[in-house]
Amino acid sequence: MSSQDRRNFLKLCAASVPALAVAKRIGIAETTSPRVAQSTYRTPASLDRFIDPLPIPKRLMPVRERKGRTQYRVRMMEFRQQMHSQLPPTRLWGYEGQYPGPTIEAMRGKPVDVLWQNDLPAQHIFPIDPHIHGAMPPTPPVRTVTHLHGSRTTPDSDGMPELWFTPGHSALYRYPNDQQAATLWYHDHAVGITRLNVYAGLAGFYLLRDDEERSMDLPSGDYEIPLQLQDRTLDDQGQLLYAPTGDEGGKLPPGVWGPQLFGDLPVVNGAIFPYLEVEPRRYRLRVLNGANQRFFHLFLNLAKRPTDVPKPVAWHQIGSDGGLLSSPVPVKRLLLGPAERADLIVDFSGLEGKTATLTNDAFAPYPGWGLIVSLGAPLYELMQFRVTRPLSGNGKSSSMPPPQPLARLEESSAVVTRTLVLSDIMDAKGNSLVMRINGKTYGDPVTEFPKLNSIEKWQFINTTDDAHAMHLHMVQFQILHRQSFDPLAFQLGKLEFVGPPRPPAPNEAGWKDTAVVNPRDVLTIIVQFKGYTGRYGYHCHMLEHEDNDMMRPFVIVADES
Ligand code: C2O
Ligand code: CU
Ligand code: CU
């Protein structure tokens, strides 16, 4: 875009402010005046469950179409929104004043431009730990940069953490959408404060569609439901509390970085304990684990009470992070680490009058084996689906996707194997000080230089006590296998495997951009660096970990051979 174009684009944005300023949402947040009188607000601990309808984030309207590109403008703003009808409005940060942000819908082959504009106040909602890399004074406290997670984009539009900008500034990013249909999402990525910015509300969906998917008879419109799963802690005034803890769950002074952050309330699409009334038919659920670091192990439970024996509804996973799986996979329970997505089809037909509760039994921290299990009781119930609506229209149900060709990357085609050791560096009392990949920080010189189009194996070796969710920018990869190793031998410098390699389960055998590696496991992925040359990043997507310092840059270089 020339500077003239850019000026015109900005002018147009300014002209369209009134239309876009109507940033109210449907559902519980529709009214700016709270539904419940001041005196009858409740504390977060005493909220009634499942009394508010699930909000569906609104679709973002483009500013204009120009030369085959769809142009959007997205402002980051501070605002207040009710997260539960028995709570006062909560102070939040969000894209276009919404939490979650508005959904961007895109078509493969049709590029999108987004002017990301920082209209936030000068003060941060949360105290900032000044010891974290990239957040040291005199760095301004309020900084943002938006990353489109899962997209193949040039480095200058990728939203790398150090490319942040302050209130009053903006950045124009261009998304080629040159990849298959997938559930992508956008979120803040500012270095050293990503955890705080996302916790304040800066995340939203980006649904990339294509003709192939369009030609299928998948549930769409009112029957396609995005679900952004998160956890939050609120104080007695209903305001966000960002309260990380030490490794053993111990409290930390305010503003001090901690390796763990678990909210005590489930938040789905910005609402606490919502419900959705559904018809007895198929639905498509686009599930995103948008939590800072909680893992979700999900099932749809028909049991009446949480204490009853679980009665899971069968559902099918049809897609993973990067697009459709080769065929639908029946799953009963589904693990999603932070940033992972699952595209699901659930069939409510035959369940008329029943209630299915989206239930989670993952421990926090995950997987939580050993002594700390007792500290990490799960957020068991997240939201309800009530099969109370009559079948509308002619009741025609949609179908499952037909089998897809999915090219497996062959292990033998990898030209390089990189070994990446995840570690948690403790003080004398066993408290986490900093986390590392190969002992290095984000600011250390680049060590990984994959060649454009080459295929590589990356092995993540987890020497810590918790699982991590490893993510690479710009690419979609495949999981080759996971395998346990002997931690004692490893301390002596030898990687000795214990037991056979475990191939991915069928619902993990598609395209991924984030994958879980358990403690004492090696996760091996295979990835082709198709796309663009330049600087990108890879990191653990538990945001506290990525901020301090389980994140590294990599640089894709032109193949000169
Ligand atoms: Cu979802 Cu580097 O991020
Ligand atoms: Cu990403
Ligand atoms: Cu991690």
Side-chain angles (χ1 to χ4, degrees), residues 1-2 5-6 9 66-67 69-71 110-116 148 151-159 171-177 206 532:
M1 190 176 268
S2 71
D5 281 353
R6 191 184 155 87
F9 186 72
R66 191 155 186 276
K67 291 185 189 154
R69 310 182 70 85
T70 312
Q71 303 187 327
K110 198 159 188 246
V112 155
D113 297 339
V114 182
L115 184 73
W116 299 103
L148 179 54
S151 83
R152 188 195 288 144
T153 305
T154 54
D156 53 344
S157 290
D158 179 70
L172 182 68
Y173 281 4
R174 327 190 88 186
Y175 303 110
N177 296 323
Y206 187 108
Y532 308 96

Side-chain angles (χ1 to χ4, degrees), residues 152-153 155 446 448-454 456 458 472-475 527-537 553-559:
R152 188 195 288 144
T153 305
V446 178
E448 319 317 317
F449 293 93
K451 282 186 180 156
L452 187 65
N453 291 319
S454 70
E456 298 194 355
W458 285 31
L472 272 67
H473 285 211
M474 215 284 278
V475 293
V527 47
Q528 181 166 26
F529 291 90
K530 250 196 307 194
Y532 308 96
T533 55
R535 182 182 157 94
Y536 294 95
F554 69 92
V555 172
I556 302 176
V557 295
D559 185 3

